[in-house]
């Protein structure tokens, strides 16, 4: 139990605890290997936790989605910028970067949403809203 | 009771780019339509409208365009043209 706590950090976007790479420690700026969010690692009573860098800005969601696409080997198409605009509108109206094509404003639909992190793009060729696409 | 000659009706989400494209398409073709941005409604009204959408389409996917008897789910210019006889 205690080993897992020292080797992992909590991501506030995908709500998962990701494994630390060599040299990652308090104060390190890292990319969550699950959702692509840029984080500064900080100490908490439950172990390391990531603080979102550039929270609530278009830079944050653009970097996150581009990192996620790179990690997974996905690509974008010409609707990318419109979807980023929709994500910004979600943040302003509903408090976070929820999927612009869904009604529900719940943590599992924070972009990249849970179904997408779970492999929807491999299954369907694209995510629900057509932001991430499987490479042809 | 409403007649078949009613204005087209669009159910949309304010943040959805496909909904925006559908509205833009209708605007460009000078179609007069009623539009509801479902995500901007207050809770009670939203529940009612979502029920309506689910009854019409069997799901909660947007945009939904009602043209006479035609129900078009998703942004589909070919279907819109056909239904509007453009």
């Amino acid at each position: 139990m205690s080993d897992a706590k020292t080797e992992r950090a909590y991501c506030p976007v995908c709500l998962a605890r990701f494994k630390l790479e060599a040299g990652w420690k308090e104060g390190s700026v890292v990319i969550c290997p699950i959702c692509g969010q840029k984080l500064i690692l900080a100490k908490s009573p439950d172990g390391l936790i990531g603080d979102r860098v550039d929270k609530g800005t278009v830079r944050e969601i653009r970097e996150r989605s581009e990192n996620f696409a790179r990690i997974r080997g996905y690509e974008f198409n010409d609707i990318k910028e419109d979807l980023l605009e929709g994500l910004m509108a979600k943040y302003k109206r509903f408090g976070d970067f929820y999927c612009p094509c869904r009604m529900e404003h719940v943590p599992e639909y924070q972009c990249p949403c849970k179904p997408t992190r779970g492999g929807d793009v491999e299954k369907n060729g694209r995510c629900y809203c057509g932001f991430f696409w499987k490479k042809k | 009771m409403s007649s078949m000659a009613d204005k087209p009706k669009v159910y949309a989400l304010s943040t959805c780019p496909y909904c925006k494209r559908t509205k833009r398409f209708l605007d460009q073709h000078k179609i007069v339509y009623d539009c509801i941005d479902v995500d901007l409604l207050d809770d009670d009204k939203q529940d009612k409208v979502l029920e309506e959408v689910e009854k019409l389409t069997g799901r909660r996917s947007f945009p939904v365009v009602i043209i006479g008897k035609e129900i078009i789910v998703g942004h589909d210019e070919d279907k819109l043209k056909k239904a509007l006889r453009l």
Side-chain angles (χ1 to χ4, degrees), chain A residues 79 82-83 85-86 89-90 93-94 100-104 128-130, chain B residues 13-18 20-21 24 38-40 46 50 60-62:
Chain A
I79 206 156
D82 292 340
L83 280 163
E85 203 179 291
K90 279 283 187 194
R93 279 176 206 147
F94 303 105
C101 300
R102 295 189 204 257
M103 274 297 304
E104 296 84 0
Y128 181 78
C129 70
Chain B
L13 297 182
S14 68
T15 55
C16 161
Y18 307 97
K20 273 188 198 147
R21 287 183 182 193
R24 202 187 307 145
V38 184
D39 56 327
L40 301 183
Q46 195 175 86
L50 280 172
R60 288 182 174 199
S61 197
F62 299 91

Side-chain angles (χ1 to χ4, degrees), chain B residues 6-80:
Chain B
D6 277 350
K7 275 188 279 185
K9 191 167 186 181
V10 178
Y11 296 93
L13 297 182
S14 68
T15 55
C16 161
Y18 307 97
C19 302
K20 273 188 198 147
R21 287 183 182 193
T22 290
K23 290 185 217 170
R24 202 187 307 145
F25 177 88
L26 296 174
D27 292 339
Q28 278 165 352
H29 289 86
K30 306 206 169 13
I31 306 293
V32 180
Y33 58 95
D34 289 322
C35 178
I36 302 176
D37 281 324
V38 184
D39 56 327
L40 301 183
L41 299 172
D42 64 48
D43 288 352
D44 287 348
K45 187 89 209 292
Q46 195 175 86
D47 288 346
K48 249 186 233 166
V49 173
L50 280 172
E51 256 174 52
E52 236 171 81
V53 169
E54 275 196 73
K55 214 181 260 178
L56 286 166
T57 67
R59 51 198 165 131
R60 288 182 174 199
S61 197
F62 299 91
V64 175
V65 187
I66 315 291
I67 302 168
K69 277 193 256 179
E70 290 286 325
I71 300 170
I72 301 166
V73 184
H75 176 64
D76 189 326
E77 295 193 3
D78 289 338
K79 283 188 185 163
L80 288 172

Side-chain angles (χ1 to χ4, degrees), chain A residues 87-100:
Chain A
L87 283 158
M88 279 312 291
K90 279 283 187 194
Y91 193 96
K92 281 179 191 147
R93 279 176 206 147
F94 303 105
D96 221 330
F97 293 117
Y98 302 111
C99 176

